[in-house]
Amino acid sequence: MQVAFSRMNPGISKRQAQFVDEYAISRNGAGAAVRAGYSKRSAKVTAARLLTNANVRAALTVREAENARALNVTRERVLAEVQNAIALAAEKADAMAMIAGWREVAKMCGFYAPQPQRVTLSADGAAYLEKLHAMSDEELAAFDGGHP
């Protein structure tokens, strides 16, 4: 499977393909790195590096889509099942389970995504910001009353 997957994704090595397979199963970067043959001592750093690699991310996206197809899992189905679980929790008067279910629905709907804010400065504000940027660390510390 690793070799075939590497051939499908020529931008990654066999070991990176193994990392993708392991990560898709466990969602644990350090563990996936170790199981893929990377050093245990640097597994966390290796996993972080691999997960920011564009080719590895693309391969992971492909692997996740394959897994979803194989399991017949869609976003709509997951939402429906979570809503069923929320209804069951409501019948049992389990408030914490209901909250957990709604939290998952909110995540899937993107309600926790950062909201971009546009900030504009007046001419005075822009001049003040420029002054702050020009200050040394010592000047900024003195300006802030010595707080780190």
Side-chain angles (χ1 to χ4, degrees), residues 17-28:
Q18 180 64 35
F19 171 81
V20 167
D21 289 341
E22 295 293 341
Y23 186 79
I25 293 167
S26 69
R27 307 304 286 184
N28 178 310

Side-chain angles (χ1 to χ4, degrees), residues 13-113:
S13 69
K14 287 187 346 182
R15 193 184 306 185
Q16 289 170 329
Q18 180 64 35
F19 171 81
V20 167
D21 289 341
E22 295 293 341
Y23 186 79
I25 293 167
S26 69
R27 307 304 286 184
N28 178 310
V34 170
R35 289 188 301 279
Y38 292 96
S39 166
K40 188 174 185 173
R41 282 185 37 198
S42 60
K44 286 181 182 180
V45 172
T46 300
R49 181 180 47 80
L50 288 168
L51 289 170
T52 59
N53 177 301
N55 292 331
V56 171
R57 291 295 315 163
L60 184 57
T61 299
V62 169
R63 172 62 65 220
E64 289 169 339
E66 289 171 351
N67 289 347
R69 268 193 306 278
L71 296 170
N72 193 29
V73 176
T74 64
R75 183 179 189 84
E76 292 77 19
R77 181 173 173 206
V78 171
L79 279 169
E81 293 298 334
V82 171
Q83 288 176 316
N84 288 340
I86 292 168
L88 182 60
E91 287 175 19
K92 294 185 175 203
D94 187 345
M96 291 309 295
M98 290 173 59
I99 290 169
W102 281 113
R103 186 179 306 120
E104 291 305 311
V105 169
K107 283 181 198 173
M108 290 182 72
C109 292
F111 293 162
Y112 292 122

Side-chain angles (χ1 to χ4, degrees), residues 105-123:
V105 169
K107 283 181 198 173
M108 290 182 72
C109 292
F111 293 162
Y112 292 122
Q115 297 295 314
Q117 300 292 320
R118 184 165 176 85
V119 177
T120 56
L121 293 175
S122 67

